[in-house]
Amino acid sequence: MKRIAPVLVVTLATCMPMLVYAGSGIDLKQIVKDSLKNKGQSNDAQAAPDSPASGSTSDHSSVGATLPEVMPDIAGIKLRMPLAQQKALVAKINPQYKVVDVKDARGNVAGIEGVAYDSDNRPQDQFIALQDEEGKVWFLGRVQKYGRGNYIPKDTFVAALNGKYGVPTEVTPNNEDFKWIYDRNNALKDRRENSVCPGSAAGEVSGPLAQEISKLANSWGISLKVPASFRPTCGIQINGSLFTTVDDRNMITGSSVQIVDYKSRFDVANKARAKQDAARQKERDAMKDNKPKL
C-alpha cells in the first residue's frame, strides 16, 4: 500500500455543530437533459469513459483542466452561491419534496433539505444544501433509490455524469464510484495527484466528527455524510456512487452524489482557530505578571 506523508487537517467542530432536523438521490432525467443541453451548446462534450481493467482504478482526467467559472451544481443548486437566492429551486427539483430548514444544535439555520417518500412512506429521494457563515453553499448532496421499473442502464448513467461534471479524476473498475478532485487553484488533478483531497470516495468521512445525514441509509443502504475535517491542499471534491443488485450489475437502482467545498471550510476553520489562539494568548499575556501569594 502506498503511504503518503501526513498533512495538516483541521476540524470544524466549533464552526459546524451537529445538524438536527425539524421533521437527497440524483435525478437522472434532469442530468441527461443537462447533458444533452450542454452537448447542444458545444461539440467538445466529453464522452463516457471506457470500462477500466479489473483490479485497478482508472485515470480518465484531463490534466490541466480547471473548474468552469460557473460552480458545479446538483439539480441546479450551485456551490459557493448564496443559498437564500436558490431556496426556491429546491422545491422544483422534485414536486413531491417536503422541504424543511436544516438547523444546527444551536437552532441556527445551517441549510435546506427536501425529501420525497415512496408509497410505503420510505424515503427515496433526498436533497440537502448546507451554507457557511456568509450564507454561501459549501456542501451539496443528493441520494436516491429508483423503484422497480425505473432502474437506469449503467452506461446511460455514466455518460450523464460525464456530461454534467466532465471526465472524473478516478473511476473504480466496476464503474460505480467516481471522484472529481480539484486543488485550491481549481485545477483538476489526475489519479497520481489525488492525495490533495480525501482518499475515501465519500470524502473525509472516516473521522469521528463525520455525520451520516442520509435518510436512505437505513432502508436502502445509500449513505451521504457531511465531513468535519478539512485539509489545506483540497479545493473542491465531487463524489458519485452508483448502486446495483447482485442479479444485474448493469442496471442502477440507486445513487449518491455530493459536492464538498473543502477550501472554504478549511479557511473558515483555520481562521476560527487563529482567532481562538489569539484570544488565549491575550488571556495569557494579561496574567503574565501574576504572582503567587505564599
Side-chain angles (χ1 to χ4, degrees):
M1 178 184 296
K2 180 180 179 182
R3 296 184 180 274
I4 60 174
V7 297
L8 172 65
V9 176
V10 300
T11 59
L12 206 57
T14 57
C15 306
M16 182 63 193
M18 295 294 284
L19 303 176
V20 294
Y21 293 89
S24 329
I26 188 170
D27 186 344
L28 188 67
K29 291 182 180 178
Q30 184 62 45
I31 283 186
V32 172
K33 186 184 297 184
D34 291 342
S35 176
L36 293 176
K37 179 180 178 182
N38 292 336
K39 288 181 180 179
Q41 295 173 342
S42 171
N43 293 325
D44 296 328
Q46 296 161 316
D50 298 328
S51 297
S54 177
S56 65
T57 56
S58 178
D59 175 12
H60 295 292
S61 62
S62 301
V63 178
T66 58
L67 279 172
E69 291 184 8
V70 178
M71 283 290 106
D73 70 275
I74 293 180
I77 310 298
K78 294 181 176 62
L79 200 71
R80 293 183 182 172
M81 294 294 290
L83 179 59
Q85 297 177 10
Q86 305 185 86
K87 274 191 171 184
L89 299 176
V90 176
K92 296 180 181 180
I93 297 173
N94 186 338
Q96 297 180 343
Y97 271 169
K98 295 180 179 178
V99 181
V100 297
D101 286 335
V102 177
K103 296 185 178 181
D104 62 25
R106 302 188 187 104
N108 300 317
V109 175
I112 191 170
E113 176 189 61
V115 183
Y117 298 82
D118 63 17
S119 57
D120 294 321
N121 202 35
R122 294 173 299 186
Q124 67 173 18
D125 183 0
Q126 178 187 8
F127 171 87
I128 187 168
L130 300 178
Q131 64 182 1
D132 61 18
E133 291 72 15
E134 296 180 349
K136 295 180 179 179
V137 175
W138 72 272
F139 178 94
L140 290 165
R142 198 174 182 198
V143 285
Q144 190 166 338
K145 174 67 173 69
Y146 306 109
R148 186 170 293 277
N150 292 311
Y151 298 162
I152 312 297
K154 181 185 286 186
D155 290 345
T156 301
F157 212 126
V158 171
L161 285 172
N162 278 268
K164 186 172 181 69
Y165 298 118
V167 179
T169 298
E170 284 190 44
V171 182
T172 52
N174 58 9
N175 261 8
E176 293 177 8
D177 290 287
F178 306 79
K179 285 191 291 186
W180 292 260
I181 294 175
Y182 294 86
D183 65 17
R184 287 178 64 89
N185 295 317
N186 294 337
L188 181 66
K189 312 308 290 184
D190 65 26
R191 187 167 60 88
R192 293 163 298 181
E193 302 174 293
N194 63 5
S195 61
V196 301
C197 282
S200 167
E204 197 83 71
V205 298
S206 58
L209 297 177
Q211 184 178 358
E212 175 66 72
I213 59 171
S214 173
K215 287 182 166 59
L216 281 67
N218 291 333
S219 26
W220 306 112
I222 302 176
S223 178
L224 182 67
K225 292 186 177 182
V226 176
S229 56
F230 307 86
R231 58 185 68 193
T233 54
C234 190
I236 291 173
Q237 182 166 335
I238 305 172
N239 305 303
S241 293
L242 307 181
F243 297 83
T244 62
T245 65
V246 293
D247 298 327
D248 192 345
R249 306 292 296 189
N250 294 313
M251 297 299 291
I252 304 304
T253 62
S255 59
S256 171
V257 176
Q258 69 170 191
I259 306 177
V260 183
D261 186 357
Y262 282 93
K263 176 181 177 179
S264 71
R265 299 318 289 163
F266 177 86
D267 290 347
V268 166
N270 214 29
K271 185 177 180 180
R273 185 176 62 178
K275 186 177 180 179
Q276 292 171 352
D277 290 345
R280 281 194 290 266
Q281 186 59 50
K282 183 178 180 180
E283 186 178 15
R284 293 190 197 100
D285 292 343
M287 296 184 292
K288 66 181 180 179
D289 293 328
N290 292 352
K291 294 181 174 54
K293 296 180 181 180
L294 301 176

